[in-house]
Amino acid sequence: MRFETDRLFLRPWTEDDAESLYEYAKDPAVGPIAGWPVHTSADNSRDIIREVLSADETYAVCLKEDNRAIGSVGLIQPAQSHTKTADDEIEIGYWIGVPFWGKGLIPEAVRRLQEHAFFDLGCSAMWCGYYDGNEKSKKCQEKCGFIYHHTEENKPCELMGDVRTEHFTRITKEEWLAGRKKNEVVLYIHGKGGNAEESEYYRPFFPEADVYGFDYQSDNPWEAKKEFTEKVVELSEKYHRIILIAGSIGAYFSMNADIGKFIDKAFFISPIVNLEKLISDMIQWAGTSESELEKRKIIPVEFGDDLSWDYLQYVRNHKIRWDVPTEILYGSNDNLQSIDTIQEFVMKKPAKLTIMEGGEHWFHTEEQMSFLAHWLRMKIAE
């Protein structure tokens, strides 16, 4: 059996994975804290694949980009469970290589096997355990909805030849289903001059989701790339789905940050989709030229941010990638970018465009906000 998530393939282990397994399992930070010794060679890893990882419902965790094994996740039947479980319950175990810690990959894999266990296998509950001191595993279980159940002391850890304290967590199918109903967050990213509190406007449109207004501090795309990525990775570890609402330069910063792999759907309001074109237009509006900007590096203007040669070069050399299903609302009187610019973007991306005749770049009048609300309700309902 094989499973797919947003970023991962979960597939059976094969002996061809031995080199990759050894690369990550030889690290002493991985195995011992989980209860198994470091691997000593690729041949050792190959033996482990044959004898342990070939078990039913045990899967290599692989990035989609190369299908290379970087960790493991598996379901443990009641007879082999580390604690006492009912016949219709199951336990889960997992690990991942150190270079991939903190990216939310194991929670993503665990959630997929929770779905498999509860829907396909008909399990009534899932258990998970962690040895005393394994805070990373504890946090992963909390993110996946597991609830502390009990602690077992003086447990022999046969593979490591010691005695340990093991803590157990559990989640029932009913608890898991209840958690899925609100395992969604709406991430709101404002434009220039906006603020995170604007996110409150969108809360009534998504009553089953959490709404998070991102109070980002970056003023340029290279700083925003790091700040936005860190925030979205953090949210992805907590929520199963992320819906993005972004306006103006906030939409550009989002696309430039390349966070699309974490986003399920996006709603853009007056998005800046071609910042290079906008800066070129601003150079003309200022009555200057690119050559003059290159020479002076910074040119102050009265109608907005100072023109910056470094900013223009960054935008020119970092083309945005965006493959998220996106709904765009655009005002025909937008004074920052033309309808041709928007339509060119829509033709190349998985995006749909709605135009409000008479709408401006900044939607703020009663009529404009009414149009925005109607548009959002209609698109959510589709």
Side-chain angles (χ1 to χ4, degrees):
M1 193 169 291
R2 178 187 181 102
F3 302 100
E4 181 176 345
T5 71
D6 290 341
R7 294 178 289 170
L8 303 171
F9 290 129
L10 308 180
R11 59 164 176 78
W13 285 88
T14 72
E15 293 187 25
D16 291 338
D17 295 317
E19 293 288 347
S20 180
L21 174 58
Y22 174 58
E23 179 179 348
Y24 301 113
K26 68 182 179 182
D27 192 323
V30 177
I33 198 168
W36 47 270
V38 297
H39 291 200
T40 57
S41 66
D43 287 338
N44 176 218
S45 292
R46 190 171 290 105
D47 289 340
I48 297 297
I49 291 173
R50 293 193 194 106
E51 298 167 9
V52 180
L53 299 179
S54 61
D56 290 343
E57 300 292 355
T58 299
Y59 304 94
V61 177
C62 309
L63 294 175
K64 281 185 174 179
E65 57 199 50
D66 57 15
N67 199 30
R68 188 167 180 263
I70 58 172
S72 187
V73 63
L75 300 177
I76 305 166
Q77 299 297 330
Q80 288 79 42
S81 176
H82 287 201
T83 191
K84 187 176 181 179
T85 64
D87 290 343
D88 64 345
E89 298 178 343
I90 206 158
E91 186 177 344
I92 192 167
Y94 50 78
W95 65 267
I96 196 166
V98 173
F100 307 96
W101 287 6
K103 300 180 184 296
L105 296 171
I106 282 297
E108 188 171 315
V110 170
R111 292 185 187 111
R112 182 62 187 89
L113 286 197
Q114 285 177 327
E115 182 177 341
H116 172 53
F118 291 132
F119 283 160
D120 302 332
L121 304 182
C123 297
S124 66
M126 178 179 285
W127 292 82
C128 199
Y130 62 94
Y131 288 119
D132 206 34
N134 193 345
E135 291 298 313
K136 286 185 173 59
S137 186
K138 176 184 178 183
K139 290 179 181 178
C140 174
Q141 292 168 42
E142 291 171 347
K143 290 171 184 175
C144 294
F146 288 93
I147 301 169
Y148 171 77
H149 190 274
H150 70 280
T151 295
E152 297 180 16
E153 299 180 345
N154 301 315
K155 291 196 66 173
C157 182
E158 295 181 3
L159 294 178
M160 295 300 295
D162 57 20
V163 176
R164 302 186 179 189
T165 296
E166 189 168 8
H167 308 284
F168 287 93
T169 61
R170 182 174 181 264
I171 183 172
T172 66
K173 182 176 182 179
E174 291 73 20
E175 290 166 342
W176 177 75
L177 288 171
R180 278 169 60 94
K181 291 181 180 178
K182 200 167 183 176
N183 198 14
E184 180 175 83
V185 65
V186 176
L187 172 62
Y188 174 75
I189 299 179
H190 60 79
K192 183 175 176 58
N195 57 70
E197 285 70 31
E198 294 170 0
S199 64
E200 291 300 313
Y201 173 80
Y202 298 96
R203 194 173 298 278
F205 296 94
F206 299 92
E208 297 298 324
D210 288 338
V211 176
Y212 182 89
F214 185 24
D215 188 21
Y216 64 92
Q217 304 300 307
S218 302
D219 292 320
N220 57 60
W222 53 92
E223 292 175 350
K225 186 179 182 70
K226 180 176 185 296
E227 186 179 7
F228 280 41
T229 299
E230 289 177 351
K231 177 54 62 178
V232 172
V233 167
E234 176 188 326
L235 291 174
S236 73
E237 293 176 349
K238 182 178 180 182
Y239 295 95
H240 187 62
R241 284 171 45 88
I242 302 177
I243 295 173
L244 174 66
I245 300 179
S248 193
I249 194 67
Y252 175 83
F253 281 174
S254 299
M255 292 187 288
N256 178 73
D258 197 22
I259 59 174
K261 58 181 172 288
F262 299 100
I263 307 300
D264 289 272
K265 188 173 181 63
F267 298 89
F268 286 169
I269 302 161
S270 304
I272 301 299
V273 297
N274 188 336
L275 190 52
E276 180 183 355
K277 174 67 166 57
L278 176 56
I279 295 173
S280 297
D281 289 343
M282 292 174 67
I283 290 172
Q284 292 185 4
W285 300 340
T288 186
S289 65
E290 276 196 31
S291 59
E292 181 68 13
L293 181 59
E294 182 178 12
K295 181 170 64 175
R296 295 173 58 183
K297 302 303 179 185
I298 299 289
I299 297 179
V301 296
E302 297 180 355
F303 51 78
D305 291 337
D306 294 345
L307 295 171
S308 164
W309 177 252
D310 290 342
Y311 202 127
L312 175 58
Q313 291 309 296
Y314 178 91
V315 170
R316 185 165 282 164
N317 294 324
H318 294 80
K319 302 301 182 183
I320 60 174
R321 297 180 298 173
W322 193 248
D323 298 318
V324 177
T326 303
E327 296 287 348
I328 296 177
L329 177 60
Y330 173 82
S332 64
N333 291 342
D334 192 317
N335 62 343
L336 291 185
Q337 57 192 342
S338 69
I339 182 61
D340 291 341
T341 299
I342 289 287
Q343 288 177 331
E344 181 181 0
F345 175 86
V346 171
M347 288 178 62
K348 296 178 180 178
K349 307 294 181 183
K352 297 179 182 178
L353 175 63
T354 299
I355 301 173
M356 178 185 177
E357 292 300 326
E360 302 169 83
H361 184 75
W362 176 35
F363 276 65
H364 66 288
T365 68
E366 182 177 348
E367 180 184 8
Q368 290 165 1
M369 295 306 293
S370 176
F371 191 98
L372 187 158
H374 177 72
W375 166 77
L376 192 55
R377 289 193 189 96
M378 293 293 292
K379 295 303 178 182
I380 291 172
E382 288 183 355

